[in-house]
Amino acid sequence: MIINDYTPSEDIFRNMLIELINKRKITIEALETITSLSAQWFKKYINGQCSLDSLLESEKHFLTDLIILLTDGNTIDCDSRLKGIIDVLLQIYKFDLSTLGNCIGVDHKLITDFLNDENSISINDKYHLSVRIMFLYYMIKYPDYTKLP
């Protein structure tokens, strides 16, 4: 997922990564598992011994998006986040609202109502919608369980 065309400069990104490790307590081992980049690469990068250019373009995009989301992603409100995930299912994975509703076991009208006005459905309905949408997204995003850490 590419958030936008903005990629922080090398120093800004390195500082974001250091903040993520020091303040948010995400370990290099966790980052290694999430990204499949070696712990050695992270240590070298933090110490300025290598750059983002040492990565494949796809690795660089994934890593920069991941670090930005882990650093600033908590500022995105939950309703907007859920709408974004629904949009990915509709736009990227080519679901229509009816199929999406059928796959998660809810009436597609509930999804439509939420997309039109997040306050039009109850907190309980939002919770059930969120859990079901996230589970579907997880199943689609990681179809090959042998590749999971």
Side-chain angles (χ1 to χ4, degrees):
M1 170 174 59
I2 298 172
I3 298 171
N4 56 36
D5 292 333
Y6 172 75
T7 301
S9 73
E10 200 78 40
D11 289 336
I12 292 171
F13 183 73
R14 187 174 285 109
N15 288 335
M16 289 172 74
L17 181 59
I18 291 168
E19 176 186 328
L20 190 61
I21 292 167
N22 291 338
K23 291 185 180 174
R24 308 236 177 174
K25 306 300 182 195
I26 293 185
T27 64
I28 289 176
E29 291 76 20
L31 291 168
E32 178 182 33
T33 301
I34 295 166
T35 64
S36 298
L37 298 173
S38 72
Q40 187 63 26
W41 184 89
F42 281 103
K43 291 173 185 172
K44 283 182 174 181
Y45 183 76
I46 289 167
N47 291 320
Q49 297 171 335
C50 67
S51 72
L52 292 172
D53 292 332
S54 65
L55 301 174
L56 298 172
E57 198 63 29
S58 59
E59 293 171 327
K60 185 187 331 185
H61 281 294
F62 178 73
L63 182 62
T64 56
D65 286 353
L66 177 70
I67 299 305
I68 290 168
L69 285 172
L70 289 174
T71 304
D72 296 329
N74 62 347
T75 61
I76 301 168
D77 71 274
C78 295
D79 288 342
S80 296
R81 190 173 305 180
L82 180 57
K83 283 182 175 184
I85 294 166
I86 292 170
D87 191 47
V88 166
L89 291 169
L90 297 173
Q91 301 299 319
I92 304 296
Y93 292 103
K94 308 299 183 199
F95 280 80
D96 60 43
L97 287 169
S98 180
T99 303
L100 184 57
N102 290 338
C103 287
I104 65 170
V106 302
D107 187 328
H108 74 280
K109 185 176 178 336
L110 180 72
I111 302 168
T112 303
D113 290 348
F114 173 75
L115 291 173
N116 290 332
D117 177 8
E118 62 269 8
N119 295 316
S120 67
I121 67 172
S122 71
I123 296 294
N124 190 48
D125 284 342
K126 255 189 232 187
Y127 170 78
H128 289 289
L129 182 62
S130 298
V131 170
R132 291 164 187 240
I133 288 290
M134 289 304 300
F135 184 70
L136 177 63
Y137 180 72
Y138 175 80
M139 288 189 310
I140 292 169
K141 184 108 171 116
Y142 299 104
D144 185 354
Y145 293 106
T146 63
K147 294 182 180 180
L148 288 175

